[in-house]
Amino acid sequence: MNYVRMCIPLVFTLPLVAVIGVACGDPFALAPATAPNRIDTTEIFALSGTDIGLPSAYDIVDRSPAITELGELFDFVFDIQDGSQAVVIPNGALGLARGPGIQLMANTSFDAITLAPATGYNADSSVAVAEGSVFVARSRSSSQDCSLGSVARFGKFEVLEVDTSLRRVTFQVLVGINCGFRGLEPGIPTE
């Protein structure tokens, strides 16, 4: 008799779970992207040899330059080493979180990058760049504006100008801020 009582709830529960699963769809599917990707131009200043109040980092999650002295909410910094060598430095190379990373995209144009690579990011050493260099960057994990939990965001960057006298770099940038999407084209991403 106990066996029958235990089976009856199971018989009624399984169809209910199936109906809920069909009605709700895939619980692990990405929510549709809603924020359009857009191309911006921004500038940041070298980490060394510039005023402490100038932004020398970039925050992919907020799509904006960041001042390193205000905290660790940034993903990479820019610097000029040995007087003329421009470098971008992911947080891990600064002894901070190793989540952010940089991948130099040699022989690839900014416009040709339509999807951020899933792997291959350098998280713990500086990357030399020059005018015309293109790289993709992965952010730290963040749950900001994201119902999926804490995920990385991706962006593509092109060095438009390195001004060694002002110790400044100008980037063309497109950051995808939709949670879980790696699409790096203007507009609403689909992947």
Side-chain angles (χ1 to χ4, degrees), residues 47 52-57 59 64-74 96:
L47 183 63
I52 197 167
L54 292 173
S56 57
D59 181 347
S64 65
I67 298 172
T68 58
E69 286 72 17
L70 297 179
E72 296 178 17
L73 295 180
F74 58 87
L96 304 173

Side-chain angles (χ1 to χ4, degrees), residues 34-102:
T34 58
N37 293 341
R38 66 177 190 265
I39 296 173
D40 291 319
T41 302
T42 193
E43 61 185 27
I44 58 177
F45 295 82
L47 183 63
S48 60
T50 59
D51 185 88
I52 197 167
L54 292 173
S56 57
Y58 193 84
D59 181 347
I60 295 171
V61 175
D62 277 339
R63 293 195 290 195
S64 65
I67 298 172
T68 58
E69 286 72 17
L70 297 179
E72 296 178 17
L73 295 180
F74 58 87
D75 301 295
F76 66 85
V77 299
F78 166 72
D79 204 4
I80 296 176
Q81 298 175 342
D82 301 325
S84 63
Q85 180 58 64
V87 294
V88 288
I89 308 168
N91 285 8
L94 301 171
L96 304 173
R98 294 193 68 230
I102 295 169

Side-chain angles (χ1 to χ4, degrees), residues 99-118:
I102 295 169
Q103 189 170 151
L104 196 58
M105 306 298 283
N107 303 316
T108 305
S109 72
F110 181 84
D111 292 333
I113 300 168
T114 60
L115 188 67

Side-chain angles (χ1 to χ4, degrees), residues 75 90-92 96-102 121-123 137-141 152:
D75 301 295
N91 285 8
L96 304 173
R98 294 193 68 230
I102 295 169
Y121 292 89
N122 170 3
R138 178 187 62 212
S139 77
R140 66 198 181 281
S141 291

Side-chain angles (χ1 to χ4, degrees), residues 90-158:
N91 285 8
L94 301 171
L96 304 173
R98 294 193 68 230
I102 295 169
Q103 189 170 151
L104 196 58
M105 306 298 283
N107 303 316
T108 305
S109 72
F110 181 84
D111 292 333
I113 300 168
T114 60
L115 188 67
T119 61
Y121 292 89
N122 170 3
D124 53 16
S125 61
S126 63
V127 175
V129 294
E131 289 180 10
S133 293
V134 175
F135 62 93
V136 176
R138 178 187 62 212
S139 77
R140 66 198 181 281
S141 291
S142 172
S143 60
Q144 179 177 318
D145 302 324
C146 187
S147 61
L148 290 177
S150 195
V151 298
R153 314 289 167 74
F154 299 89
K156 62 181 178 177
F157 299 79
E158 179 179 14

Side-chain angles (χ1 to χ4, degrees), residues 142-182:
S142 172
S143 60
Q144 179 177 318
D145 302 324
C146 187
S147 61
L148 290 177
S150 195
V151 298
R153 314 289 167 74
F154 299 89
K156 62 181 178 177
F157 299 79
E158 179 179 14
V159 179
L160 298 177
E161 178 187 23
V162 176
D163 186 329
T164 55
S165 62
L166 293 177
R167 301 186 64 77
R168 176 185 70 201
V169 66
T170 303
F171 291 114
Q172 173 177 223
V173 57
L174 182 146
V175 170
I177 62 167
N178 292 281
C179 296
F181 287 83
R182 293 185 297 123

